[in-house]
């Protein structure tokens, strides 16, 4: 049985895996090139370390099989899209499909719907968000959705935000994982109680959105000298909701641990890159939660890791010490459990930092990358199509 802390930590673990998988899956160069670059920059890591992390990615990706039915591997809903913004919901929804979801819905305003429909026949677009019965219209679909991505291209119209509030309440009542991004975060900054303690929520603020949230929830500016602590404290103040603070280094926290992704990526800062990430996370959070904590936090990474925060005494034996974890090449190097198991007590003091490298998402103009599922899900245990690095 996963404790609340375990669940929250498992979701943080998901975010880490998701960020990595999303980055690898979308518009990235071929995987082995990514691995080379990711690890050429950092002497600390090795391809083997990435292999451990990617093993977690593999663990959560449902294999393709002839016995599955349409939608079984992911039905994701994006709530957003208004008069001004039609690209953001499209980017989020199409990214969910590219990562490997089977169906992707967009719940947007009536004005945005024909535009988004025109972008792609693959998206199921519902022109309901500005309807007086918007909440009922979306709620009808919730039993058939595995996760929601709330906010891309939502805009800040009060009537829309009020409808989205009802949709979030209905989603929580059904225990549906929600990724909250963009103007969905604007709503959360107005009403933090909306997601307080809902540990199946993952927030993905950019620099500005984080500042607003931090100010609204912690009543004060972000301490720019202590960004990790700021993310940790915001997560804790929201009841250990997972926070993914996007930036030159992505900082993630579930209120217990702080993880840092510092892989140098594209210097482009074009609009839409955050939307790609939130859509990808929608699928990956669902897959990771479906896979269960034994698949996401049982895996022990023997990367030379540092986690910002109280030194975590994992208390986990390696295989060399009679445990069941992977053999560590450097038994003295601190391990990281992707999330501490309930019986592991953080010990005070000490500060270690984890660098998880992942490539930034390439601007959409690049040739379409093969979606992650193609590589990882066609590995019918023979590894036939897996890139060398993933075999
Ligand atoms: N094609 C589209 O339809 C797009 C729509 N978008 C939507 O536009 C709405 C507003 O998103 P924004 O991200 O623009 O709004 P924000 O309120 O997050 O950002 C406002 C402005 O802050 C500035 N800013 C960003 N990062 C900064 C940093 N590190 N330091 C200082 N200033 C910084 C930028 O000029 C940005 O436009 C959202 O609903 C979003 O989903 C965006 O996702 C972009 C693409
Ligand atoms: N200064 C930076 N240098 C390198 N990568 C960055 C930088 N800022 C953000 N990123 C990366 O770009 C991705 C999108 O982050 P960004 O801050 O652009 O989101 P956003 O503003 O929400 O985007 P969008 O325009 O889609 O709303 C994240 O994966 C993040 O890690
Ligand atoms: Mg954004």
């Amino acid at each position: 049985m996963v404790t609340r802390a375990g669940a929250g930590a498992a979701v943080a673990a998901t975010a880490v895996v998701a960020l990595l998988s999303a980055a690898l899956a979308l518009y990235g160069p071929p995987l082995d090139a990514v691995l080379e670059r990711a690890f050429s920059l950092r002497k600390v890591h090795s391809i083997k370390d990435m292999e451990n992390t990617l093993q977690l990615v593999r663990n959560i990706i449902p294999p393709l099989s002839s016995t599955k039915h349409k939608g079984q591997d992911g039905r994701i809903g994006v709530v957003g899209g208004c008069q001004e913004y039609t690209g953001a919901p499209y980017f989020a929804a199409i990214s969910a499909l590219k990562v490997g979801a089977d169906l992707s819905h967009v719940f947007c305003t009536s004005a945005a719907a024909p535009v988004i429909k025109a972008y792609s026949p693959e998206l199921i677009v519902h022109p309901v968000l500005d309807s007086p019965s918007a909440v009922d219209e979306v709620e009808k679909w919730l039993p058939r959705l595995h996760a929601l991505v709330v906010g891309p291209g939502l805009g800040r119209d009060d009537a829309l935000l009020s409808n989205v509030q009802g949709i979030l309440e209905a989603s929580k009542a059904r225990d549906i994982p929600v990724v909250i991004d963009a103007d969905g975060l604007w709503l959360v900054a107005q009403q933090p109680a909306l997601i307080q303690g809902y540990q199946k929520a993952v927030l993905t603020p950019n620099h500005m959105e984080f500042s607003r949230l931090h100010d609204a929830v912690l009543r004060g500016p972000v301490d720019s000298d202590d960004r990790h602590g700021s993310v940790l404290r915001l997560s804790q103040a929201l009841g250990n909701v997972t926070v993914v603070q996007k930036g030159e280094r992505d900082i993630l926290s579930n209120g217990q641990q702080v993880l840092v992704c510092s892989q140098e990526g594209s210097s482009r800062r074009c609009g839409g890159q955050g939307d790609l990430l939130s859509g990808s996370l929608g699928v990956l959070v669902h897959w990771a939660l479906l896979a269960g904590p034994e698949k996401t936090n049982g895996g022990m990474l023997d990367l030379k890791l540092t986690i910002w925060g109280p030194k975590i005494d994992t208390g986990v034996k390696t295989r060399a010490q009679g445990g069941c974890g992977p053999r560590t090449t450097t038994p003295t190097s601190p391990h990281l459990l992707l999330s501490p198991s309930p019986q592991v007590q953080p010990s005070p003091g000490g500060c270690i930092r984890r660098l998880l490298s992942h490539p930034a998402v390439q601007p959409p103009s690049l040739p379409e990358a093969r979606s992650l599922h193609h590589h990882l899900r066609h590995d019918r245990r023979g590894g036939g199509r897996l890139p060398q690095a993933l075999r």
Side-chain angles (χ1 to χ4, degrees), residues 85-88 151-156 182-183 206-209 212 271-272 275:
Y85 306 122
T86 55
L154 178 60
R156 296 171 190 173
D183 291 320
N206 64 22
H207 177 89
M208 296 298 284
E209 291 152 350
R212 281 190 211 107
D275 303 316

Side-chain angles (χ1 to χ4, degrees), residues 308-326:
W308 186 92
K311 186 170 175 349
I312 302 245
D313 164 17
T314 61
V316 177
K317 290 187 182 340
T318 62
R319 196 183 296 147
Q321 298 156 327
C324 57

Side-chain angles (χ1 to χ4, degrees), residues 19 23 88 91 181-182 185 204-209 245-250 261 263-278 358-361:
L19 273 175
F91 288 135
D181 185 32
L185 296 170
T204 57
N206 64 22
H207 177 89
M208 296 298 284
E209 291 152 350
Q245 214 265 285
K246 299 172 293 193
E248 186 171 358
R249 302 151 69 86
D250 291 328
C261 292
Q263 167 63 28
E264 190 182 331
S266 157
S267 305
R268 284 292 310 274
R269 298 270 50 82
C270 55
Q273 288 176 305
D275 303 316
L276 301 180
L277 184 62
S278 59
H358 73 91
V361 175

Side-chain angles (χ1 to χ4, degrees), residues 83-99:
Q83 177 92 16
E84 295 83 7
Y85 306 122
T86 55
Y90 165 75
F91 288 135
I94 205 72
S95 299
L97 289 178
K98 296 290 178 201
V99 165

Side-chain angles (χ1 to χ4, degrees), residues 13 24 31 53 55 88 111 190 225 227 273 302 308 325 363 380 387:
L24 294 181
L31 211 43
T53 310
Q55 186 50 49
Q190 318 295 318
D225 297 331
R227 295 203 71 85
Q273 288 176 305
D302 59 354
W308 186 92
R380 297 187 193 286

Side-chain angles (χ1 to χ4, degrees), residues 189 209-222 234:
E209 291 152 350
F210 184 75
S211 304
R212 281 190 211 107
L213 263 178
H214 188 282
D215 196 39
V217 176
L218 293 169
R219 301 266 173 264
V222 176
L234 179 64

